[in-house]
């Protein structure tokens, strides 16, 4: 008599991800990350969790409201973090981070003790650091939140000139579209490059980006720890198409123009006007290298009166016209993307 066949072992996806959503989390960062997993998990876009699985975890099983007001319902209680390959924390509004339920902090610490890699997306890095889980690790944050991070946390210098950072079992990214690239990095690691590229193509993301690719933010040669100077530069960055003058920036920051000028000279050796122009020209170079916008369109996007004004300023700074800059980049093959580097 033949022995009865033993039941087949349960199928185990190659990539299992648990999500922790902070209060008022950023919906786009979560959606980009989870959609890469969804599209890599099955053939086409049938969305079956075959190669990947993902669950939204909760301490209370109550829906979590995002910063845009849309609520997401959880799938499972927190439970044992070891059932996942990664725990991904999706952050959001800065003011809500301190209000994270202590049960989540305890869960993240259990995951760290079990050596489950932790991922901080957007201000999820703030959540991990507040839980005491980022000491000794490099940490990526958005250039937009760089100063917020410095104001809230001591002893850790955030990286805000890359789209994501992989440091051993801590992975952090700047949020937005970069969360899709970090998710694709994990898909490539566990499932394969073809699956990662398929996800990005279906999402109409032209090319995969490595962690070393720069965030479109402040130019790297204007680094300073002076908080007043950084806030002024950030204000210009956020108002690129209609840049305020020095007096308006000083008024916005609650200081005199003379004090602002003194801080710029001490921190950068530049006047505020010269520094503001460098911020705008850095954005011009980025748009020339990475877009097909006309010079007129770029001038409008970076606060120049017209194309002629931009061409004069660009020639004075770079020794060539914007068209010549773009032609040189095209002849050299354009900006090269670095392949993913594994930890």
């Amino acid at each position: 008599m033949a022995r009865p066949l033993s039941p087949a072992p349960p199928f185990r996806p190659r990539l299992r991800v648990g999500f922790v959503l902070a209060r008022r989390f950023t919906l786009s960062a979560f959606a980009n990350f989870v959609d890469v997993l969804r599209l890599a998990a099955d053939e086409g876009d049938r969305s079956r969790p075959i190669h990947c699985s993902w669950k939204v975890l909760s301490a209370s099983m109550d829906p979590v409201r995002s910063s845009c007001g849309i609520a997401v319902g959880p799938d499972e209680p927190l439970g044992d973090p070891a059932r996942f390959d990664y725990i991904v924390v999706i952050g959001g509004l800065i003011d809500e981070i301190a209000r994270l339920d202590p049960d989540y902090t305890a869960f993240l610490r259990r995951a760290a003790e079990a050596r489950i890699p932790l991922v901080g997306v957007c201000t999820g890095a703030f959540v991990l650091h507040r839980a005491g889980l980022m000491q000794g690790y490099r940490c990526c944050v958005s250039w937009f939140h760089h100063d917020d991070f410095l104001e809230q946390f001591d002893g850790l210098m955030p990286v805000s000139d890359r789209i994501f950072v992989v440091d051993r079992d801590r992975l952090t990214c700047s949020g937005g579209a970069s969360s899709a690239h970090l998710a694709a990095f994990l898909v490539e690691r566990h499932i394969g490059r073809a699956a990662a590229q398929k996800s990005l193509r279906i999402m109409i993301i032209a090319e995969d980006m490595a962690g070393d690719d720069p965030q479109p933010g402040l130019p790297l040669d204007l680094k300073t720890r002076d908080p007043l100077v950084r806030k002024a530069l950030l204000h210009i960055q956020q108002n690129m198409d209609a840049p305020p003058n020095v007096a308006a920036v000083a008024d916005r920051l609650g200081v005199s123009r003379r004090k602002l000028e003194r801080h710029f000279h001490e921190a950068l050796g530049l006047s505020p006007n010269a520094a503001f122009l460098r911020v705008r020209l850095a954005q011009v170079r980025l748009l020339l290298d990475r877009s097909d916008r006309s010079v007129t369109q770029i001038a409008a996007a970076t606060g120049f009166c017209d194309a002629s004004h931009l061409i004069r300023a660009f020639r004075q700074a770079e020794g060539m016209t914007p068209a010549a800059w773009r032609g040189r980049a095209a002849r050299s093959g354009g900006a090269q993307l670095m392949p993913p580097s594994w930890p």
Side-chain angles (χ1 to χ4, degrees), residues 15-19 30-42 47-55 86 88 180 182-184 186-187 191 195 198-199 203:
L15 177 56
R16 302 167 299 166
V17 177
F19 286 97
F30 171 61
N32 279 325
F33 201 110
V34 77
D35 251 6
V36 169
L37 303 181
R38 176 183 71 86
L39 293 166
D42 196 2
S47 303
R48 295 173 300 175
I50 297 173
H51 303 301
C52 307
S53 65
W54 52 93
K55 300 293 181 182
Y86 299 87
V88 178
L182 178 53
L186 297 182
V187 167
I191 301 171
K198 183 197 84 168
S199 292
M203 293 173 68

Side-chain angles (χ1 to χ4, degrees), residues 174-214:
S174 50
S178 71
S179 61
H181 293 291
L182 178 53
F185 174 89
L186 297 182
V187 167
E188 179 171 346
R189 172 189 280 181
H190 291 270
I191 301 171
R193 184 166 178 78
Q197 290 184 322
K198 183 197 84 168
S199 292
L200 295 177
R201 283 198 300 269
I202 294 175
M203 293 173 68
I204 322 297
I205 297 176
E207 299 180 86
D208 56 336
M209 295 178 69
D212 286 339
D213 280 305

Side-chain angles (χ1 to χ4, degrees), residues 263-331:
H263 275 254
F264 267 82
H265 280 293
E266 291 174 355
L268 300 174
L270 296 170
S271 69
N273 273 328
F276 295 168
L277 179 59
R278 284 175 66 167
V279 170
R280 293 160 60 205
L281 288 173
Q283 183 68 8
V284 170
R285 293 193 300 270
L286 182 70
L287 293 174
L288 288 170
D289 289 341
R290 298 196 175 190
S291 80
D292 58 358
R293 295 190 198 183
S294 69
V295 173
T296 298
Q297 290 171 324
I298 292 174
T302 51
F304 290 92
C305 299
D306 51 32
S308 297
H309 183 202
L310 169 57
I311 290 169
R312 287 195 302 273
F314 195 89
R315 192 201 303 272
Q316 184 172 1
E318 303 296 343
M320 66 180 72
T321 66
W325 176 279
R326 177 172 272 168
R328 187 182 65 172
R331 287 191 298 275

Side-chain angles (χ1 to χ4, degrees), residues 54-67:
W54 52 93
K55 300 293 181 182
V56 175
L57 310 177
S58 174
S60 65
M61 298 304 291
D62 294 330
V64 186
R65 194 163 297 280
S66 66
S67 58

Side-chain angles (χ1 to χ4, degrees), residues 13-316:
R14 284 180 274 175
L15 177 56
R16 302 167 299 166
V17 177
F19 286 97
V20 170
L21 306 180
R23 293 173 186 260
R24 308 296 297 279
F25 69 97
T26 305
L27 187 62
S28 62
F30 171 61
N32 279 325
F33 201 110
V34 77
D35 251 6
V36 169
L37 303 181
R38 176 183 71 86
L39 293 166
D42 196 2
E43 297 296 327
D45 62 350
R46 298 175 67 187
S47 303
R48 295 173 300 175
I50 297 173
H51 303 301
C52 307
S53 65
W54 52 93
K55 300 293 181 182
V56 175
L57 310 177
S58 174
S60 65
M61 298 304 291
D62 294 330
V64 186
R65 194 163 297 280
S66 66
S67 58
C68 69
I70 294 175
V72 172
D75 299 303
E76 298 178 357
L78 294 174
D80 182 4
R83 68 192 192 274
F84 299 104
D85 299 306
Y86 299 87
I87 301 298
V88 178
V89 182
I90 308 291
L93 297 186
I94 295 286
D95 295 341
E96 297 289 343
I97 291 171
R99 299 179 58 205
L100 189 72
D101 190 308
D103 288 342
Y104 289 110
T105 301
F107 173 76
L108 294 172
R109 289 174 177 164
R110 291 199 307 272
E113 290 170 1
R115 298 188 179 279
I116 307 301
L118 300 175
V119 182
V121 175
C122 190
T123 59
F126 289 48
V127 174
L128 293 176
H129 192 54
R130 184 175 286 276
L133 300 172
M134 290 301 298
Q135 294 300 329
Y137 288 93
R138 295 169 66 232
C139 174
C140 179
V141 299
S142 166
W143 62 266
F144 187 83
H145 291 303
H146 186 278
D147 288 344
D148 297 311
F149 196 100
L150 291 178
E151 289 175 3
Q152 293 198 25
F153 304 115
D154 294 325
L156 187 66
M157 179 59 69
V159 176
S160 55
D161 59 0
R162 287 168 170 76
I163 62 168
F164 66 82
V165 167
V166 178
D167 188 353
R168 294 159 289 164
D169 55 355
R170 298 291 186 274
L171 302 87
T172 49
C173 83
S174 50
S178 71
S179 61
H181 293 291
L182 178 53
F185 174 89
L186 297 182
V187 167
E188 179 171 346
R189 172 189 280 181
H190 291 270
I191 301 171
R193 184 166 178 78
Q197 290 184 322
K198 183 197 84 168
S199 292
L200 295 177
R201 283 198 300 269
I202 294 175
M203 293 173 68
I204 322 297
I205 297 176
E207 299 180 86
D208 56 336
M209 295 178 69
D212 286 339
D213 280 305
Q215 295 180 31
L218 296 177
L220 303 184
D221 60 341
L222 290 184
K223 286 183 176 179
T224 175
R225 295 191 178 187
D226 186 310
L228 183 62
V229 174
R230 288 197 60 85
K231 287 177 182 177
L233 293 173
L234 182 59
H235 186 58
I236 292 297
Q237 183 87 26
Q238 294 169 339
N239 296 275
M240 190 79 70
D241 59 340
N245 60 31
V246 176
V249 174
D251 185 62
R252 167 84 179 193
L253 299 178
V255 298
S256 68
R257 175 170 180 159
R258 184 179 295 276
K259 180 175 181 178
L260 186 63
E261 289 172 340
R262 185 173 68 251
H263 275 254
F264 267 82
H265 280 293
E266 291 174 355
L268 300 174
L270 296 170
S271 69
N273 273 328
F276 295 168
L277 179 59
R278 284 175 66 167
V279 170
R280 293 160 60 205
L281 288 173
Q283 183 68 8
V284 170
R285 293 193 300 270
L286 182 70
L287 293 174
L288 288 170
D289 289 341
R290 298 196 175 190
S291 80
D292 58 358
R293 295 190 198 183
S294 69
V295 173
T296 298
Q297 290 171 324
I298 292 174
T302 51
F304 290 92
C305 299
D306 51 32
S308 297
H309 183 202
L310 169 57
I311 290 169
R312 287 195 302 273
F314 195 89
R315 192 201 303 272
Q316 184 172 1

